[in-house]
Amino acid sequence: QYIIKTVEVESAKAKQALCESQSRNQYLQEQVGMQRQVLKEMEQQLQSSQKTVAQLRAQIMMYEAELERAQGQMLEEMQAMEEEKNRAIEDAFSRAQVEMKAVHENLAGEGGAAHRVTQLVLGGHATCPSPCLMPAGVRTNLLTLQPALRTLTHDYNSLKRQVRDFPLLLQETLRSARAEISQAIEDVHSTNRELLRKYRRELQLRKKCHNELVRLKGNIRVFGRVRPITKEDGEGPEAANAVTFDTDDDAILHLLHKGKQVSFELDKVFPPQASQEEVFQEVQALVTSCIDGYNVCIFAYGQTGAGKTYTMEGTAANPGINQRALQLLFSEVQSKAADWDYAISVSAAEIYNEALRDLLGKEPQEKLEIKLCPDGSGQLYVPGLTEFRVQSVEDINKVFEFGHVNRVTECTNLNEHSSRSHALLIVTVRGLDRSTGLCTTGKLNLVDLAGSERVGRSGAEGSRLREAQHINKSLSALGDVIYALRSRQGHVPFRNSKLTYLLQDSLSGDSKTLMMVQVSPAEKNTSETLCSLKFAERVRSVELGPVSRKAELASWPSQEQLEVTEGLPGDSPGTAAPSGRGHVSPSPGQLSSRATSIRRKLQTSG
């Protein structure tokens, strides 16, 4: 006879791991503080650079205005000098005419001499060809006028050259000023680009540190996904896109609601063009952690028609998180097959009108109850919930097809095939390390919540109205639980709804939890989108505490005892073990020759 006892031992390794986690948490908090300070300084530098650019642009405008003003002044001065030159020439010509008239009067009898004097004066000759032909007074007047005429001619030619060269000089000055200003602007732009690069790098580092800090604190991670505009949204202003994204931060989105832009910060935001593969890449680390013995919960929240079922279930050609998660689990299990034995089992349930129903059972309409495990572990399980062992992708497809047929969907004003219930896919992974005898039990809850829209907009009547009221009541209870957890109240009302009671393990600090909030970008749905995003921000601030791993040492079991049930829907399934109970019974017949070596290994590892 063999007696098995589970004893919690606080080992030195656990203490050391706890100390390391606490020191790492402190280090990350310091790093986050330092990164915030660096970001603040970079933002100040960026603002300073932007101010410098603005000042340089203002100086450019001022220089151009001054150049235009100088050009105008120079043109005015040239025009004034031209006029002054013309006046001086006219005055000199008038004086010459007066003097020539006087010469004509003095030399009235000498017409030929007067004519030659006139030619000499008007022609600007410097010397008299024949002094004997010119009286002394005329010669003196000519000597007086010639320097003045020479000076005027020189000034005129100089002004003419300046007027001809001024456009070239102005263009050269403008070219030089523009080159200097362009160089200054290029230097500022280069500095801004470098600052922006550092800013984005620090932002990514800050986000990485923040995510690590969130993981250590146990916060609920929140991803957002925006579906594309579809033909069902109609046409016109009501179908306009009201959601925009931050180009520098993939965790921020903006919603235009009633003419005002409202910004929301989540852990990650997926735009409409994001593929199913891109979404799953962000959540696959959570999925694989259930193999290591952790509880994981991923649930989709949002109004009807926002894409919750598409994200969780997808289509046959483009599967969603549910099928991709199980495929990934199979791949991970195969990679560890040399050292571990794993058994993966699947259950599917729905909460319809506050009644829990088994989607894989022979009687899907039968109501089930949620109870505490009788082993005293405090875990919840559902007696009578069918649990199927799956070993291949074909098994998964048969389970999904059988469960999808039994789920309740109806047509509403917001969606032609609206999910009228909360669907839960529960994946249990039990593992045994053959070398140490360590048993692990991890549970993956994949939840597709019903639509969160208002009753008036869904157009529900009769039984549809009753369904909508139950949906809103359960979602309201979920909101009350989130509020109680966020405000750290002593009592958390998990029992107010079947949904919150079933998700108690996922929301009470013993699970890694991810919320995928689905939103519609259409203008007509902005009210529901606003409510969904506000709820997502509240959920993101909830701290569940560090996550614990479910593992225990046990004797060597047989492969048959790892199997929960054989067969698929349509076969004759075996009896399922209660969900949440991670204990595997020993097999005395297989403890013979290897028991001594296993105990020796356990003593050595201990």
Side-chain angles (χ1 to χ4, degrees), residues 349-408:
E350 74 169 353
I351 300 175
Y352 174 68
N353 286 349
E354 278 301 296
L356 183 62
R357 309 194 314 181
D358 185 1
L359 294 180
L360 302 181
K362 295 181 179 180
E363 298 293 335
Q365 303 300 324
E366 182 182 355
K367 296 181 181 180
L368 304 177
E369 295 297 330
I370 306 170
K371 296 184 179 297
L372 288 172
C373 283
D375 59 1
S377 63
Q379 299 290 322
L380 298 175
Y381 82 108
V382 181
L385 182 63
T386 306
E387 191 172 11
F388 285 100
R389 170 80 180 276
V390 290
Q391 296 178 318
S392 64
V393 177
E394 289 74 17
D395 295 349
I396 298 172
N397 293 333
K398 290 181 181 179
V399 170
F400 285 167
E401 182 180 356
F402 190 75
H404 187 70
V405 169
N406 290 329
R407 190 178 181 191
V408 178

Short mmCIF file of all heavy atoms in Angstrom, two decimals, residues 349-408:
data_model
loop_
_atom_site.label_atom_id
_atom_site.label_comp_id
_atom_site.label_asym_id
_atom_site.label_seq_id
_atom_site.Cartn_x
_atom_site.Cartn_y
_atom_site.Cartn_z
N ALA A 349 -18.51 25.22 -22.64
CA ALA A 349 -19.75 25.54 -21.94
C ALA A 349 -20.22 26.92 -22.37
O ALA A 349 -19.47 27.70 -22.96
CB ALA A 349 -19.53 25.49 -20.42
N GLU A 350 -21.48 27.19 -22.07
CA GLU A 350 -22.01 28.53 -22.32
C GLU A 350 -22.90 28.93 -21.15
O GLU A 350 -23.49 28.06 -20.46
CB GLU A 350 -22.79 28.59 -23.63
CG GLU A 350 -24.15 27.93 -23.60
CD GLU A 350 -24.98 28.24 -24.83
OE1 GLU A 350 -24.56 29.08 -25.63
OE2 GLU A 350 -26.07 27.65 -24.97
N ILE A 351 -22.98 30.22 -20.91
CA ILE A 351 -23.89 30.76 -19.89
C ILE A 351 -24.99 31.49 -20.64
O ILE A 351 -24.77 32.55 -21.23
CB ILE A 351 -23.15 31.70 -18.93
CG1 ILE A 351 -22.03 30.95 -18.21
CG2 ILE A 351 -24.11 32.32 -17.93
CD1 ILE A 351 -21.16 31.82 -17.33
N TYR A 352 -26.18 30.89 -20.63
CA TYR A 352 -27.32 31.44 -21.37
C TYR A 352 -28.44 31.71 -20.39
O TYR A 352 -28.93 30.80 -19.70
CB TYR A 352 -27.76 30.44 -22.44
CG TYR A 352 -29.02 30.83 -23.18
CD1 TYR A 352 -29.00 31.92 -24.04
CD2 TYR A 352 -30.19 30.13 -23.02
CE1 TYR A 352 -30.14 32.30 -24.73
CE2 TYR A 352 -31.34 30.49 -23.70
CZ TYR A 352 -31.31 31.58 -24.56
OH TYR A 352 -32.45 31.95 -25.23
N ASN A 353 -28.86 32.96 -20.29
CA ASN A 353 -29.90 33.36 -19.34
C ASN A 353 -29.56 32.92 -17.92
O ASN A 353 -30.40 32.36 -17.20
CB ASN A 353 -31.26 32.81 -19.76
CG ASN A 353 -31.84 33.55 -20.96
OD1 ASN A 353 -31.33 34.60 -21.35
ND2 ASN A 353 -32.88 33.00 -21.54
N GLU A 354 -28.28 33.14 -17.55
CA GLU A 354 -27.79 32.82 -16.20
C GLU A 354 -27.86 31.32 -15.91
O GLU A 354 -27.90 30.91 -14.74
CB GLU A 354 -28.55 33.60 -15.12
CG GLU A 354 -28.05 35.00 -14.91
CD GLU A 354 -26.57 35.06 -14.50
OE1 GLU A 354 -26.25 34.56 -13.42
OE2 GLU A 354 -25.76 35.59 -15.27
N ALA A 355 -27.89 30.51 -16.95
CA ALA A 355 -27.86 29.06 -16.78
C ALA A 355 -26.61 28.53 -17.47
O ALA A 355 -26.33 28.88 -18.63
CB ALA A 355 -29.12 28.42 -17.38
N LEU A 356 -25.85 27.69 -16.77
CA LEU A 356 -24.62 27.10 -17.31
C LEU A 356 -24.97 25.81 -18.02
O LEU A 356 -25.58 24.90 -17.44
CB LEU A 356 -23.63 26.85 -16.17
CG LEU A 356 -22.27 26.31 -16.57
CD1 LEU A 356 -21.54 27.30 -17.46
CD2 LEU A 356 -21.44 26.00 -15.32
N ARG A 357 -24.57 25.71 -19.31
CA ARG A 357 -24.92 24.55 -20.12
C ARG A 357 -23.65 23.96 -20.72
O ARG A 357 -22.70 24.66 -21.05
CB ARG A 357 -25.89 24.94 -21.24
CG ARG A 357 -27.10 25.71 -20.74
CD ARG A 357 -28.20 25.81 -21.75
NE ARG A 357 -27.76 26.16 -23.09
CZ ARG A 357 -28.58 26.31 -24.11
NH1 ARG A 357 -29.88 26.11 -23.95
NH2 ARG A 357 -28.13 26.64 -25.31
N ASP A 358 -23.69 22.63 -20.89
CA ASP A 358 -22.57 21.88 -21.45
C ASP A 358 -22.76 21.77 -22.96
O ASP A 358 -23.70 21.11 -23.43
CB ASP A 358 -22.52 20.49 -20.81
CG ASP A 358 -21.29 19.70 -21.26
OD1 ASP A 358 -20.48 20.26 -22.04
OD2 ASP A 358 -21.14 18.55 -20.83
N LEU A 359 -21.87 22.42 -23.73
CA LEU A 359 -22.01 22.40 -25.18
C LEU A 359 -21.54 21.09 -25.80
O LEU A 359 -21.82 20.84 -26.98
CB LEU A 359 -21.21 23.57 -25.80
CG LEU A 359 -21.71 24.97 -25.46
CD1 LEU A 359 -20.83 26.02 -26.13
CD2 LEU A 359 -23.15 25.16 -25.90
N LEU A 360 -20.82 20.27 -25.04
CA LEU A 360 -20.32 18.99 -25.58
C LEU A 360 -21.07 17.80 -25.00
O LEU A 360 -20.73 16.66 -25.31
CB LEU A 360 -18.82 18.85 -25.30
CG LEU A 360 -17.91 19.95 -25.85
CD1 LEU A 360 -16.46 19.66 -25.51
CD2 LEU A 360 -18.08 20.09 -27.35
N GLY A 361 -22.05 18.05 -24.17
CA GLY A 361 -22.78 16.96 -23.53
C GLY A 361 -23.89 16.41 -24.41
O GLY A 361 -24.27 16.97 -25.44
N LYS A 362 -24.43 15.27 -23.96
CA LYS A 362 -25.53 14.66 -24.69
C LYS A 362 -26.82 15.45 -24.52
O LYS A 362 -27.69 15.42 -25.40
CB LYS A 362 -25.74 13.22 -24.20
CG LYS A 362 -24.56 12.30 -24.50
CD LYS A 362 -24.84 10.90 -24.01
CE LYS A 362 -23.66 9.96 -24.35
NZ LYS A 362 -23.90 8.58 -23.87
N GLU A 363 -26.94 16.17 -23.41
CA GLU A 363 -28.12 17.00 -23.16
C GLU A 363 -27.65 18.45 -22.97
O GLU A 363 -27.46 18.91 -21.84
CB GLU A 363 -28.87 16.51 -21.92
CG GLU A 363 -29.42 15.10 -22.02
CD GLU A 363 -30.53 15.01 -23.05
OE1 GLU A 363 -31.17 16.07 -23.31
OE2 GLU A 363 -30.76 13.92 -23.59
N PRO A 364 -27.47 19.22 -24.06
CA PRO A 364 -26.96 20.59 -23.93
C PRO A 364 -27.88 21.52 -23.14
O PRO A 364 -27.43 22.53 -22.62
CB PRO A 364 -26.84 21.06 -25.39
CG PRO A 364 -26.82 19.81 -26.21
CD PRO A 364 -27.65 18.82 -25.46
N GLN A 365 -29.19 21.17 -23.06
CA GLN A 365 -30.12 22.04 -22.34
C GLN A 365 -30.07 21.84 -20.83
O GLN A 365 -30.69 22.59 -20.08
CB GLN A 365 -31.55 21.79 -22.84
CG GLN A 365 -31.72 21.98 -24.34
CD GLN A 365 -31.37 23.40 -24.77
OE1 GLN A 365 -31.63 24.36 -24.05
NE2 GLN A 365 -30.77 23.52 -25.95
N GLU A 366 -29.37 20.81 -20.38
CA GLU A 366 -29.30 20.54 -18.95
C GLU A 366 -28.49 21.62 -18.24
O GLU A 366 -27.42 22.01 -18.70
CB GLU A 366 -28.66 19.18 -18.71
CG GLU A 366 -28.59 18.78 -17.24
CD GLU A 366 -27.90 17.45 -17.04
OE1 GLU A 366 -27.59 16.81 -18.07
OE2 GLU A 366 -27.69 17.06 -15.88
N LYS A 367 -29.00 22.12 -17.13
CA LYS A 367 -28.34 23.17 -16.37
C LYS A 367 -27.33 22.57 -15.39
O LYS A 367 -27.63 21.59 -14.71
CB LYS A 367 -29.37 24.00 -15.60
CG LYS A 367 -30.34 24.75 -16.50
CD LYS A 367 -31.31 25.58 -15.67
CE LYS A 367 -32.30 26.33 -16.58
NZ LYS A 367 -33.26 27.13 -15.80
N LEU A 368 -26.16 23.16 -15.35
CA LEU A 368 -25.10 22.71 -14.47
C LEU A 368 -24.84 23.74 -13.39
O LEU A 368 -25.21 24.91 -13.52
CB LEU A 368 -23.81 22.45 -15.27
CG LEU A 368 -23.90 21.47 -16.44
CD1 LEU A 368 -22.57 21.39 -17.16
CD2 LEU A 368 -24.33 20.09 -15.94
N GLU A 369 -24.20 23.30 -12.32
CA GLU A 369 -23.88 24.18 -11.20
C GLU A 369 -22.37 24.23 -10.99
O GLU A 369 -21.64 23.30 -11.33
CB GLU A 369 -24.56 23.69 -9.91
CG GLU A 369 -26.08 23.73 -9.96
CD GLU A 369 -26.62 25.14 -10.11
OE1 GLU A 369 -25.95 26.08 -9.61
OE2 GLU A 369 -27.69 25.30 -10.72
N ILE A 370 -21.93 25.34 -10.41
CA ILE A 370 -20.51 25.54 -10.11
C ILE A 370 -20.29 25.23 -8.63
O ILE A 370 -21.00 25.76 -7.77
CB ILE A 370 -20.08 26.98 -10.41
CG1 ILE A 370 -20.45 27.35 -11.86
CG2 ILE A 370 -18.60 27.18 -10.17
CD1 ILE A 370 -20.29 28.82 -12.17
N LYS A 371 -19.30 24.38 -8.33
CA LYS A 371 -19.07 23.98 -6.95
C LYS A 371 -17.58 24.04 -6.64
O LYS A 371 -16.73 24.11 -7.53
CB LYS A 371 -19.59 22.56 -6.70
CG LYS A 371 -21.11 22.42 -6.87
CD LYS A 371 -21.57 21.03 -6.52
CE LYS A 371 -23.07 20.90 -6.66
NZ LYS A 371 -23.80 21.80 -5.72
N LEU A 372 -17.29 24.01 -5.33
CA LEU A 372 -15.90 23.95 -4.88
C LEU A 372 -15.39 22.52 -4.95
O LEU A 372 -16.14 21.57 -4.72
CB LEU A 372 -15.79 24.47 -3.45
CG LEU A 372 -15.95 25.98 -3.24
CD1 LEU A 372 -16.00 26.29 -1.75
CD2 LEU A 372 -14.80 26.74 -3.90
N CYS A 373 -14.11 22.36 -5.28
CA CYS A 373 -13.53 21.02 -5.32
C CYS A 373 -13.56 20.40 -3.93
O CYS A 373 -13.24 21.06 -2.93
CB CYS A 373 -12.08 21.09 -5.82
SG CYS A 373 -11.95 21.31 -7.59
N PRO A 374 -13.91 19.14 -3.84
CA PRO A 374 -13.98 18.50 -2.51
C PRO A 374 -12.61 18.21 -1.91
O PRO A 374 -12.53 17.78 -0.77
CB PRO A 374 -14.73 17.20 -2.80
CG PRO A 374 -14.49 16.91 -4.24
CD PRO A 374 -14.38 18.24 -4.93
N ASP A 375 -11.52 18.47 -2.66
CA ASP A 375 -10.19 18.17 -2.12
C ASP A 375 -9.66 19.27 -1.21
O ASP A 375 -8.55 19.19 -0.71
CB ASP A 375 -9.20 17.91 -3.25
CG ASP A 375 -9.08 19.11 -4.19
OD1 ASP A 375 -9.75 20.13 -3.94
OD2 ASP A 375 -8.32 19.01 -5.17
N GLY A 376 -10.47 20.33 -1.02
CA GLY A 376 -10.05 21.41 -0.12
C GLY A 376 -9.07 22.39 -0.73
O GLY A 376 -8.52 23.24 -0.01
N SER A 377 -8.86 22.32 -2.04
CA SER A 377 -7.91 23.24 -2.68
C SER A 377 -8.49 24.62 -2.90
O SER A 377 -7.76 25.56 -3.20
CB SER A 377 -7.47 22.66 -4.03
OG SER A 377 -8.58 22.55 -4.91
N GLY A 378 -9.81 24.77 -2.75
CA GLY A 378 -10.44 26.06 -2.97
C GLY A 378 -10.74 26.35 -4.43
O GLY A 378 -11.29 27.41 -4.75
N GLN A 379 -10.39 25.41 -5.33
CA GLN A 379 -10.65 25.59 -6.75
C GLN A 379 -12.11 25.30 -7.06
O GLN A 379 -12.79 24.55 -6.35
CB GLN A 379 -9.74 24.67 -7.57
CG GLN A 379 -8.26 24.92 -7.39
CD GLN A 379 -7.84 26.24 -7.99
OE1 GLN A 379 -8.32 26.63 -9.04
NE2 GLN A 379 -6.96 26.94 -7.31
N LEU A 380 -12.59 25.92 -8.15
CA LEU A 380 -13.96 25.70 -8.58
C LEU A 380 -13.98 24.67 -9.72
O LEU A 380 -13.04 24.58 -10.50
CB LEU A 380 -14.57 27.02 -9.08
CG LEU A 380 -14.68 28.14 -8.04
CD1 LEU A 380 -15.19 29.41 -8.71
CD2 LEU A 380 -15.60 27.75 -6.90
N TYR A 381 -15.05 23.91 -9.78
CA TYR A 381 -15.24 22.99 -10.91
C TYR A 381 -16.74 22.82 -11.14
O TYR A 381 -17.57 23.24 -10.33
CB TYR A 381 -14.56 21.65 -10.65
CG TYR A 381 -15.35 20.68 -9.79
CD1 TYR A 381 -15.93 19.54 -10.34
CD2 TYR A 381 -15.50 20.89 -8.42
CE1 TYR A 381 -16.65 18.66 -9.58
CE2 TYR A 381 -16.21 20.01 -7.64
CZ TYR A 381 -16.80 18.89 -8.21
OH TYR A 381 -17.51 18.01 -7.44
N VAL A 382 -17.06 22.23 -12.29
CA VAL A 382 -18.46 22.06 -12.69
C VAL A 382 -18.74 20.57 -12.77
O VAL A 382 -18.28 19.90 -13.72
CB VAL A 382 -18.74 22.74 -14.04
CG1 VAL A 382 -20.21 22.57 -14.43
CG2 VAL A 382 -18.37 24.21 -13.99
N PRO A 383 -19.43 20.01 -11.82
CA PRO A 383 -19.76 18.58 -11.90
C PRO A 383 -20.61 18.27 -13.13
O PRO A 383 -21.55 19.00 -13.45
CB PRO A 383 -20.55 18.33 -10.61
CG PRO A 383 -20.20 19.47 -9.70
CD PRO A 383 -19.94 20.62 -10.58
N GLY A 384 -20.25 17.19 -13.80
CA GLY A 384 -21.02 16.78 -14.98
C GLY A 384 -20.60 17.44 -16.26
O GLY A 384 -21.16 17.14 -17.33
N LEU A 385 -19.62 18.36 -16.21
CA LEU A 385 -19.16 19.01 -17.44
C LEU A 385 -18.30 18.04 -18.24
O LEU A 385 -17.32 17.50 -17.75
CB LEU A 385 -18.36 20.27 -17.09
CG LEU A 385 -17.85 21.09 -18.28
CD1 LEU A 385 -19.02 21.65 -19.08
CD2 LEU A 385 -16.95 22.22 -17.80
N THR A 386 -18.70 17.79 -19.49
CA THR A 386 -17.99 16.85 -20.34
C THR A 386 -16.59 17.36 -20.67
O THR A 386 -16.40 18.53 -20.98
CB THR A 386 -18.76 16.63 -21.65
OG1 THR A 386 -20.10 16.24 -21.34
CG2 THR A 386 -18.10 15.54 -22.49
N GLU A 387 -15.63 16.44 -20.56
CA GLU A 387 -14.24 16.80 -20.81
C GLU A 387 -13.64 15.76 -21.77
O GLU A 387 -13.59 14.58 -21.45
CB GLU A 387 -13.45 16.84 -19.50
CG GLU A 387 -12.07 17.45 -19.61
CD GLU A 387 -11.44 17.63 -18.23
OE1 GLU A 387 -11.99 17.08 -17.26
OE2 GLU A 387 -10.40 18.31 -18.14
N PHE A 388 -13.21 16.21 -22.95
CA PHE A 388 -12.71 15.31 -23.97
C PHE A 388 -11.21 15.42 -24.10
O PHE A 388 -10.66 16.52 -24.09
CB PHE A 388 -13.36 15.61 -25.33
CG PHE A 388 -14.77 15.14 -25.45
CD1 PHE A 388 -15.82 16.03 -25.29
CD2 PHE A 388 -15.05 13.81 -25.71
CE1 PHE A 388 -17.13 15.61 -25.40
CE2 PHE A 388 -16.37 13.38 -25.81
CZ PHE A 388 -17.40 14.27 -25.65
N ARG A 389 -10.58 14.28 -24.23
CA ARG A 389 -9.14 14.24 -24.50
C ARG A 389 -8.92 14.50 -25.99
O ARG A 389 -9.53 13.84 -26.83
CB ARG A 389 -8.59 12.88 -24.10
CG ARG A 389 -7.15 12.62 -24.56
CD ARG A 389 -6.15 13.28 -23.65
NE ARG A 389 -4.79 13.03 -24.09
CZ ARG A 389 -4.09 11.93 -23.78
NH1 ARG A 389 -4.65 10.99 -23.03
NH2 ARG A 389 -2.86 11.80 -24.19
N VAL A 390 -8.07 15.45 -26.32
CA VAL A 390 -7.76 15.76 -27.71
C VAL A 390 -6.28 15.49 -27.96
O VAL A 390 -5.44 15.78 -27.12
CB VAL A 390 -8.11 17.22 -28.06
CG1 VAL A 390 -9.61 17.44 -28.09
CG2 VAL A 390 -7.46 18.19 -27.08
N GLN A 391 -6.01 14.93 -29.13
CA GLN A 391 -4.64 14.55 -29.45
C GLN A 391 -4.19 15.03 -30.83
O GLN A 391 -3.04 14.83 -31.19
CB GLN A 391 -4.50 13.02 -29.40
CG GLN A 391 -4.72 12.45 -28.00
CD GLN A 391 -4.62 10.93 -27.99
OE1 GLN A 391 -5.12 10.28 -28.90
NE2 GLN A 391 -3.97 10.38 -26.98
N SER A 392 -5.08 15.69 -31.57
CA SER A 392 -4.71 16.14 -32.92
C SER A 392 -5.59 17.32 -33.30
O SER A 392 -6.58 17.63 -32.63
CB SER A 392 -4.88 15.01 -33.94
OG SER A 392 -6.25 14.64 -34.04
N VAL A 393 -5.23 17.95 -34.41
CA VAL A 393 -6.02 19.08 -34.92
C VAL A 393 -7.39 18.60 -35.37
O VAL A 393 -8.39 19.33 -35.23
CB VAL A 393 -5.26 19.75 -36.09
CG1 VAL A 393 -6.08 20.89 -36.69
CG2 VAL A 393 -3.91 20.28 -35.63
N GLU A 394 -7.49 17.39 -35.89
CA GLU A 394 -8.80 16.87 -36.31
C GLU A 394 -9.73 16.75 -35.11
O GLU A 394 -10.93 17.05 -35.21
CB GLU A 394 -8.63 15.50 -36.99
CG GLU A 394 -7.97 15.55 -38.36
CD GLU A 394 -6.46 15.81 -38.28
OE1 GLU A 394 -5.91 15.63 -37.18
OE2 GLU A 394 -5.87 16.19 -39.30
N ASP A 395 -9.18 16.31 -33.98
CA ASP A 395 -10.00 16.24 -32.76
C ASP A 395 -10.51 17.62 -32.38
O ASP A 395 -11.68 17.79 -31.99
CB ASP A 395 -9.18 15.66 -31.61
CG ASP A 395 -8.77 14.22 -31.87
OD1 ASP A 395 -9.30 13.63 -32.84
OD2 ASP A 395 -7.92 13.70 -31.12
N ILE A 396 -9.67 18.63 -32.51
CA ILE A 396 -10.06 20.00 -32.15
C ILE A 396 -11.21 20.45 -33.04
O ILE A 396 -12.21 21.01 -32.57
CB ILE A 396 -8.86 20.96 -32.31
CG1 ILE A 396 -7.73 20.57 -31.37
CG2 ILE A 396 -9.28 22.39 -32.05
CD1 ILE A 396 -6.46 21.35 -31.61
N ASN A 397 -11.08 20.23 -34.34
CA ASN A 397 -12.12 20.68 -35.27
C ASN A 397 -13.46 20.03 -34.97
O ASN A 397 -14.51 20.67 -35.05
CB ASN A 397 -11.69 20.37 -36.72
CG ASN A 397 -10.49 21.19 -37.15
OD1 ASN A 397 -10.27 22.29 -36.65
ND2 ASN A 397 -9.72 20.66 -38.09
N LYS A 398 -13.44 18.73 -34.61
CA LYS A 398 -14.70 18.05 -34.28
C LYS A 398 -15.32 18.63 -33.01
O LYS A 398 -16.53 18.83 -32.94
CB LYS A 398 -14.44 16.56 -34.11
CG LYS A 398 -14.10 15.85 -35.42
CD LYS A 398 -13.88 14.36 -35.20
CE LYS A 398 -13.53 13.66 -36.51
NZ LYS A 398 -13.28 12.21 -36.31
N VAL A 399 -14.47 18.92 -32.01
CA VAL A 399 -14.98 19.50 -30.76
C VAL A 399 -15.57 20.87 -31.02
O VAL A 399 -16.67 21.21 -30.55
CB VAL A 399 -13.85 19.57 -29.71
CG1 VAL A 399 -14.30 20.40 -28.51
CG2 VAL A 399 -13.47 18.18 -29.26
N PHE A 400 -14.86 21.71 -31.79
CA PHE A 400 -15.35 23.06 -32.08
C PHE A 400 -16.64 23.02 -32.87
O PHE A 400 -17.58 23.78 -32.60
CB PHE A 400 -14.29 23.84 -32.86
CG PHE A 400 -13.13 24.29 -32.02
CD1 PHE A 400 -11.98 24.77 -32.61
CD2 PHE A 400 -13.19 24.24 -30.64
CE1 PHE A 400 -10.90 25.19 -31.84
CE2 PHE A 400 -12.12 24.63 -29.86
CZ PHE A 400 -10.99 25.11 -30.45
N GLU A 401 -16.71 22.13 -33.83
CA GLU A 401 -17.92 22.04 -34.65
C GLU A 401 -19.11 21.60 -33.82
O GLU A 401 -20.20 22.17 -33.93
CB GLU A 401 -17.68 21.06 -35.80
CG GLU A 401 -18.86 20.93 -36.74
CD GLU A 401 -18.60 19.95 -37.86
OE1 GLU A 401 -17.45 19.42 -37.94
OE2 GLU A 401 -19.52 19.69 -38.66
N PHE A 402 -18.90 20.64 -32.95
CA PHE A 402 -19.99 20.14 -32.11
C PHE A 402 -20.45 21.22 -31.13
O PHE A 402 -21.65 21.42 -30.91
CB PHE A 402 -19.52 18.90 -31.35
CG PHE A 402 -20.63 18.17 -30.65
CD1 PHE A 402 -21.53 17.39 -31.37
CD2 PHE A 402 -20.79 18.26 -29.28
CE1 PHE A 402 -22.55 16.72 -30.72
CE2 PHE A 402 -21.81 17.59 -28.63
CZ PHE A 402 -22.70 16.81 -29.35
N GLY A 403 -19.48 21.94 -30.53
CA GLY A 403 -19.85 22.99 -29.59
C GLY A 403 -20.49 24.18 -30.26
O GLY A 403 -21.40 24.81 -29.71
N HIS A 404 -20.05 24.52 -31.48
CA HIS A 404 -20.60 25.68 -32.18
C HIS A 404 -22.05 25.45 -32.56
O HIS A 404 -22.86 26.38 -32.57
CB HIS A 404 -19.75 25.96 -33.42
CG HIS A 404 -20.13 27.23 -34.10
ND1 HIS A 404 -19.89 28.48 -33.56
CD2 HIS A 404 -20.75 27.46 -35.29
CE1 HIS A 404 -20.34 29.41 -34.39
NE2 HIS A 404 -20.86 28.82 -35.44
N VAL A 405 -22.40 24.21 -32.89
CA VAL A 405 -23.79 23.91 -33.27
C VAL A 405 -24.72 24.17 -32.10
O VAL A 405 -25.85 24.65 -32.27
CB VAL A 405 -23.89 22.45 -33.76
CG1 VAL A 405 -25.35 22.03 -33.90
CG2 VAL A 405 -23.17 22.29 -35.08
N ASN A 406 -24.28 23.87 -30.89
CA ASN A 406 -25.15 23.97 -29.71
C ASN A 406 -25.21 25.37 -29.12
O ASN A 406 -26.01 25.62 -28.22
CB ASN A 406 -24.69 23.00 -28.63
CG ASN A 406 -24.93 21.56 -29.01
OD1 ASN A 406 -25.88 21.26 -29.73
ND2 ASN A 406 -24.05 20.67 -28.56
N ARG A 407 -24.35 26.30 -29.59
CA ARG A 407 -24.36 27.63 -29.00
C ARG A 407 -25.53 28.44 -29.53
O ARG A 407 -25.91 28.34 -30.70
CB ARG A 407 -23.05 28.37 -29.30
CG ARG A 407 -22.94 29.66 -28.50
CD ARG A 407 -21.67 30.42 -28.73
NE ARG A 407 -21.65 31.62 -27.92
CZ ARG A 407 -20.77 32.59 -28.04
NH1 ARG A 407 -19.80 32.50 -28.93
NH2 ARG A 407 -20.82 33.66 -27.25
N VAL A 408 -26.08 29.31 -28.68
CA VAL A 408 -27.26 30.09 -29.02
C VAL A 408 -26.85 31.36 -29.73
O VAL A 408 -26.08 32.16 -29.20
CB VAL A 408 -28.08 30.44 -27.75
CG1 VAL A 408 -29.29 31.30 -28.12
CG2 VAL A 408 -28.51 29.17 -27.05
#
